[in-house]
Amino acid sequence: MGDQETFKALNKKCFKEQAIWMLNALWPTHKDTVAEEIWKFAQMFSEFEIENHENGCDLDELNMHRVFEKLGNQKTVQEMRSQLKQAGVENFKKVGMLHFLTYYYGMDWHKVANAPQGDNTAELDKAQKLLDEVSKQLEECQKKAEESKKSAEAAAEKATASKKSAEAAAARQKEAQAAEEEVTKALNEVKAQEQAKEDKRKALQKKIETAGLVAKNAAIQELAKLDSEDDLPLRRAKTTLEAAQRKVAKALKIATEAKEKADNDATVAQESQKKADEAAKEAEQAVESTQKKMEEAEAYLAEQKAAAGGSGQGTMWWIQRELDEKKKYMPMRKGGVAKH
């Protein structure tokens, strides 16, 4: 394969792979002095490639103008085409990032196409595999952390709601019980009055049957007076109180059921809290596992950097940079770093 075909193929790689290729090409002369800048170019191209983002490989001409504008180096169409043509661009409908980087760093595209990428492919592949494992575990870690957060929020919400429900239900139950007791007391008093009148009537009737003439006549008069008394107010009071008693009994039943439901909700809230605690524990275990995998990856990278000399250093820098980026999503207490 000739240089032209090789360079075309390189410009069809994703932005990350193109960036690493250029980083390795520049490493002998620049070391890591331009590494962060190339990292940012990869982020910029990924942002402008609205369809595939980081999985993209090139930008159309309009977005290439946006790249130059962002750099504060606006160009006419003719200027941009003329300069990028020197970096091996033939078709301006789509421009690979490696074309741009070749132009930007003043490189000969033939040399870039043939730039050594390191003879430690197996070691680099292992480092990339470790990075992929970290990425996978970090995703799982973030997923569990989100689940833990949602579980904790749900548990707290249920606990608050059940507490309010229990308090309200208990208050209603207490009020209903008090009302029932009051109505029952009043009804018992009315019934007692009825019973007292009935007992008096029976006593007078017995007296009429057994007493002497004088006492008998007195009892007859007293019974007549008793029977002539208006019982309607007492009967009405009894009817009203019996209706009230049924009403408060129903209210008490409803309040008691509400209290039972509130108690059940409290049990559910406790179960939710238990699940939230379990989710938090799983999230913590995921964090610890991710931390260990990250430490393993960093230790391996450090070992390979020391052993490789200049071979594949750009690739290893990139993997380390991705690890550093992932640390932003780890807790500070577990090796995480602050987001800037």
Side-chain angles (χ1 to χ4, degrees), residues 57 77 85 92 116 129 150 164 225 232-233 262 308 311 319 338:
C57 61
V77 172
K85 191 176 288 185
F92 288 90
K129 184 180 178 182
K150 287 181 179 179
K164 288 182 179 179
K225 182 181 178 182
L232 184 59
S311 186
I319 293 174

Side-chain angles (χ1 to χ4, degrees), residues 248-310:
V248 295
K250 183 178 180 181
L252 179 59
K253 183 175 181 292
I254 293 172
T256 301
E257 289 173 351
K259 179 66 167 57
E260 290 173 354
K261 183 180 182 302
D263 291 340
N264 183 63
D265 288 344
T267 301
V268 172
Q270 289 176 352
E271 287 297 318
S272 294
Q273 185 58 55
K274 185 178 178 182
K275 289 181 180 179
D277 293 341
E278 290 173 354
K281 185 177 179 181
E282 288 181 5
E284 183 65 21
Q285 290 172 343
V287 167
E288 291 177 358
S289 177
T290 303
Q291 181 189 16
K292 289 178 181 178
K293 182 58 68 175
M294 192 169 285
E295 289 172 352
E296 179 187 349
E298 287 192 306
Y300 183 77
L301 271 176
E303 179 185 325
Q304 294 309 310
K305 284 178 185 178

Side-chain angles (χ1 to χ4, degrees), residues 90-197:
E90 295 179 331
N91 184 349
F92 288 90
K93 288 184 179 180
K94 293 288 184 179
V95 178
M97 189 176 74
L98 198 54
H99 282 299
F100 166 77
L101 294 175
T102 300
Y103 152 76
Y104 187 81
Y105 291 108
M107 297 283 286
D108 182 334
W109 67 265
H110 294 279
K111 290 183 179 179
V112 174
N114 293 285
Q117 297 297 301
D119 54 5
N120 52 346
T121 306
E123 289 79 6
L124 294 176
D125 287 346
K126 182 177 178 180
Q128 182 61 51
K129 184 180 178 182
L130 286 170
L131 174 63
D132 293 341
E133 289 174 358
V134 168
S135 299
K136 185 178 179 181
Q137 287 195 8
L138 186 58
E139 286 178 9
E140 185 67 20
C141 181
Q142 290 172 324
K143 180 182 176 182
K144 288 187 180 297
E146 186 62 27
E147 289 174 353
S148 173
K149 181 182 176 183
K150 287 181 179 179
S151 295
E153 289 174 350
E157 187 177 336
K158 286 181 180 179
T160 301
S162 67
K163 183 180 179 182
K164 288 182 179 179
S165 297
E167 289 174 351
R172 288 197 299 271
Q173 187 184 45
K174 186 176 180 181
E175 289 173 3
Q177 285 175 334
E180 185 186 45
E181 289 171 2
E182 186 176 345
V183 169
T184 300
K185 182 180 178 182
L187 182 59
N188 287 339
E189 288 176 358
V190 170
K191 288 180 177 179
Q193 291 178 40
E194 279 187 326
Q195 189 62 46
K197 190 172 183 179

Side-chain angles (χ1 to χ4, degrees), residues 7 61 64-65 68 71 73-90 92 95 98-107 109:
F7 203 48
E61 193 167 10
M64 283 307 305
H65 278 287
F68 283 106
L71 294 173
N73 186 17
Q74 291 176 294
K75 297 182 182 297
T76 64
V77 172
Q78 195 58 41
E79 285 175 337
M80 189 181 77
R81 288 187 175 186
S82 175
Q83 292 170 6
L84 288 179
K85 191 176 288 185
Q86 297 174 27
V89 179
E90 295 179 331
F92 288 90
V95 178
L98 198 54
H99 282 299
F100 166 77
L101 294 175
T102 300
Y103 152 76
Y104 187 81
Y105 291 108
M107 297 283 286
W109 67 265

